[in-house]
Amino acid sequence: MDATVGAQPAGDQSGPSVEAGAQRPTAYIVQKGDTLYSIALNHGINRKELAEWNNIPESGAIHIGQQLSMSAPHAQAGPSLFSLSDSPPPSAPTATRDSGLPSEAKPLANTNKLKTEPRAFKLPYSEQAIAQLKGLTDMPRTVLAKVDPMIEKQTGTVIPPTEVIADPDRIEWIWPTKGKLLEGFSEATKGIDIAGKAGEPVTASAGGKVVYSGAGLRGYGKLIIIKHNNTYLSAYAHNNKLLVKEGQTVVKGQKIGEMGSTDTDLVKLHFEIRKNGKPVDPLKHLPGISG
C-alpha cells in the first residue's frame, strides 16, 4: 500500500519532527499519511539522500510498515575514513575521539546505489588521526636514479615509487686506444686484443689509482692495473713503455703507456675489465666504436 497520500493526522505521535539538538533515530517505520518528503523534512534529512540510503526509486513510493534507515549505511558501520557526499546531511553523525579503525565493515542493505569510488576522504579530529597524517607526511621523498640501459632492456624492470639510490660503482668507460679488434672476450683470453703500432698511446679507460705497474706477471709483458672503485679493475698489457707508477692517481683518458709487443709476438694492447676480481667482457662496457 502506497503511503504517499494524505497528511499526517493531528495528534499522531508516530512521526514527530526532530527538535533542535535531539538525536535522530537510526530507523523509522512508515505510518499512514507519510511521504518520503515529509519524513525527510521532519528528521532534518535531504530527501534525495534518504531515498539513496533505502534504495527507493525516483518515484519516491513507500508503503505503510516499511522500515527506513535514517542514516547512510557507511555511517552506521562507523568507519574512521568515509567519502565526502555531494550534499552532506546537516546533522550527520561523526566519529568520536575514541573510535578506532574497524578490521572489517560489513555491507548493509540498500547500498547498491552508493558511490564505490569516493572523491575525497576526511578524518575526524583526534590524536590518532594526527598521528596517521604525520606518518604520511614523514614518508621519504622518492629519488630517481639513472637505470643501466642493459638491465632495463634485458629485464624490463620498472622502478617502483620508492627511494632508489644510484650505484656508486657504476663507470662510464672509454676505449684505451684506437685500433682494430683482433680477438674478442672468452674464458681463455679474459679480455680483448686491440691492434696498433708501436709507440701509440695507451690511455686509462676510466679514472682511478694505479695498483700495479711492472713486468712481473708472466704472459702480460709490461702491465698496468688500475683500481677504479671497490668493484672494478682494468688491466693494460704488452706495453712498450710504462708512464705511471704504483700509487699514482690517474684520470679517464690520461696517457699511461705506449703500445708494444712485450711477452707477445705482435704489437697490440691486451685490455681486461674485472668486476669483483672476475673477468667480464669489455665490449659490454665500452662505447660502440673503438677510439
Side-chain angles (χ1 to χ4, degrees):
M1 176 179 177
D2 193 302
T4 59
V5 294
Q8 182 174 328
D12 189 343
Q13 301 301 317
S14 59
S17 61
V18 175
E19 296 294 334
Q23 183 178 3
R24 183 199 308 158
T26 58
Y28 177 80
I29 304 299
V30 177
Q31 305 295 321
K32 183 179 179 179
D34 283 344
T35 65
L36 191 65
Y37 180 84
S38 68
I39 295 172
L41 180 63
N42 289 336
H43 292 84
I45 304 173
N46 181 282
R47 184 190 65 82
K48 182 178 179 182
E49 289 184 336
L50 182 60
E52 288 180 349
W53 296 344
N54 294 276
N55 196 22
I56 297 174
E58 293 294 330
S59 61
I62 56 176
H63 58 270
I64 295 175
Q66 179 179 355
Q67 179 173 315
L68 301 179
S69 174
M70 304 304 289
S71 59
H74 61 274
Q76 292 178 355
S80 294
L81 292 175
F82 54 94
S83 63
L84 290 174
S85 59
D86 293 332
S87 301
S91 55
T94 57
T96 63
R97 292 173 62 90
D98 295 330
S99 61
L101 291 173
S103 58
E104 180 178 0
K106 296 182 179 179
L108 300 181
N110 304 326
T111 61
N112 57 340
K113 285 192 175 183
L114 293 176
K115 296 181 180 179
T116 57
E117 296 182 359
R119 293 181 294 106
F121 291 93
K122 67 179 182 180
L123 281 171
Y125 178 81
S126 67
E127 295 178 357
Q128 181 182 3
I130 294 175
Q132 292 174 7
L133 294 175
K134 188 176 186 299
L136 293 175
T137 57
D138 289 343
M139 292 177 64
R141 297 181 179 177
T142 299
V143 179
L144 298 180
K146 187 176 180 182
V147 181
D148 191 324
M150 294 298 297
I151 297 176
E152 188 176 23
K153 181 178 180 181
Q154 293 174 6
T155 65
T157 302
V158 178
I159 302 300
T162 55
E163 185 173 3
V164 181
I165 306 300
D167 180 6
D169 290 340
R170 190 174 184 274
I171 294 176
E172 297 290 342
W173 304 87
I174 63 172
W175 283 80
T177 192
K178 296 181 180 180
K180 181 180 178 181
L181 184 66
L182 295 175
E183 189 169 5
F185 175 83
S186 67
E187 292 185 3
T189 62
K190 296 182 175 60
I192 60 175
D193 289 344
I194 304 172
K197 298 180 180 179
E200 285 187 345
V202 174
T203 60
S205 186
K209 182 178 182 179
V210 179
V211 294
Y212 183 83
S213 180
L217 192 59
R218 184 178 178 182
Y220 285 86
K222 292 184 178 180
L223 172 68
I224 298 170
I225 300 176
I226 300 175
K227 179 179 180 180
H228 303 287
N229 49 42
N230 292 330
T231 302
Y232 288 100
L233 299 171
S234 60
Y236 312 75
H238 307 308
N239 295 280
N240 180 52
K241 184 181 293 186
L242 304 177
L243 303 178
V244 291
K245 298 180 179 180
E246 293 180 14
Q248 182 177 340
T249 298
V250 297
V251 298
K252 179 168 61 176
Q254 178 178 337
K255 184 177 179 180
I256 58 175
E258 294 179 357
M259 191 177 294
S261 58
T262 55
D263 214 359
T264 185
D265 55 359
L266 183 67
V267 175
K268 62 181 180 180
L269 172 66
H270 177 75
F271 177 66
E272 295 182 9
I273 294 178
R274 300 210 172 202
K275 182 177 182 179
N276 295 321
K278 181 180 179 180
V280 295
D281 188 355
L283 296 182
K284 293 183 178 180
H285 298 270
L286 295 170
I289 301 175
S290 173

